[in-house]
Amino acid sequence: MLLTSGQISMTISSCVVFIFTSLLFLSGYVLQQQTVRSLQAAIHPPPPPPPPPPNVSATVSANAQARIFGQPPGSNGHAAYQRYLGGIGTSVDWKKAAYVQIVTKHMLVCNAIMVFAELARQKSPARRVLLYPKRWDIESAENIIADQRLERTMRLIKVGAVRHGVTLAPIDPMLDGTEGDLLFIRIVAERVITDRRADDAEETYPICGLLSLTSFDQLLFMRPSGLIIDSSSLDAIFALRTNSTFTSFAGLSRDLAPMTLIKPSNRSFVDAMSFLRSNPNSESTYIRNTTHFVPAPSTSVPLVSQTFSLASAHEYFDATKFVSQAGYVQLSDPDIPGPEYNVPRSVFLKARPEQSEARRAWEELYETYRMRRMDVCGLDLEPIPIVEEVGVEHVIL
């Protein structure tokens, strides 16, 4: 039987409709399965890879050593500098190496958290320890003082512990004088236990107190306020084999070196506290007399630097290289109270270096600090401290 043209058209149309309906069904089924798998993955995500154990010794690369010594291992310059320092190892027990910050003022808490945040971002294997007054914990828990600064401080401290793996170490102060017990700190199971002292003495938190952290082989202390640019070169410092209690890097002033490597020991701690008990307010003298000062190597980019040193930058100074390869830069200039403050534009412009490339690096460092402060702490620059005139003296409140 012959089919009419109408029947043929109907058959073709039916086939076309069937084919497209089938394709539509199949595509919907595929999308449905993909959605189901995505939901299953979201509800039951695969387990993350296990983190490396914190006490694994890691090799310090030749490039990192070259950053300290100015020349790579095997060169004459490296050998000479190595003998000067007392030697360098090739591995570090990272469980016993830590970056440490001491904050006793609310204004400096954000800077410490910024330092730790950058170390965490660059995956530094060293531990991170923050020491701060124990009374902040007490006042915050008991609501003794309704202080917005305290609330902000405790928020930032918690951010450091939760997000950046910081070990929090609330400490009691040392007495300012010759009476009372001595400061003693020890970290036990990620907690800090401190001696208790009288409450009627002026609070002091000496850097020498870090010598009591004998659970660590080495501590790297950086003076505020500053920026970490390249943590890998700073990590290499922990490989230094030095017998000195304090080893300070760079700095035009021996009393204000921006970075100090500290070797804790019970004997050094007792000696330091005995000296401070007999010589109150003389910690800088003790540190200066017991510090091994390391001059900066002759490299194009220093391992540790300060912004005021850019005023003497040579004509071949490379701003791009400096702001990308320096290890730690302390932002310290005579006419600026600190990078945390929003100084008048006229003061900011007057404080800049004259050399064009040094000026560009200087401005970029201050802008980077401002941006990191906002990103890490959620804080803008602070108003400049109010200066009141008292007689002939000026007091910064």
Side-chain angles (χ1 to χ4, degrees), residues 129-149:
V129 179
L130 175 65
L131 286 78
Y132 64 94
K134 182 186 289 186
R135 61 180 173 81
W136 289 355
D137 280 344
I138 299 174
E139 293 171 0
S140 177
E142 300 180 359
N143 295 320
I144 296 176
I145 301 176
D147 189 347
Q148 292 184 350
R149 294 184 309 165

Side-chain angles (χ1 to χ4, degrees), residues 5 7 40 63 129 153 155 168 193 215 222 234 250 291 322-323 336 339 356 371 383:
S5 60
Q7 291 174 326
Q40 291 175 340
N63 289 336
V129 179
T153 291
R155 174 181 65 83
L168 302 182
I193 302 174
S215 58
M222 290 167 288
L234 301 179
T291 295
F322 182 86
V323 298
I336 297 181
S356 59
M371 294 176 62

Side-chain angles (χ1 to χ4, degrees), residues 387-395:
V387 179
E388 291 189 355
E389 189 169 315
V390 181
V392 295
E393 296 182 357
H394 289 79
V395 179

Side-chain angles (χ1 to χ4, degrees), residues 35-55:
T35 303
V36 170
R37 285 194 294 269
S38 299
L39 291 174
Q40 291 175 340
I43 297 174
H44 303 288
N55 60 343

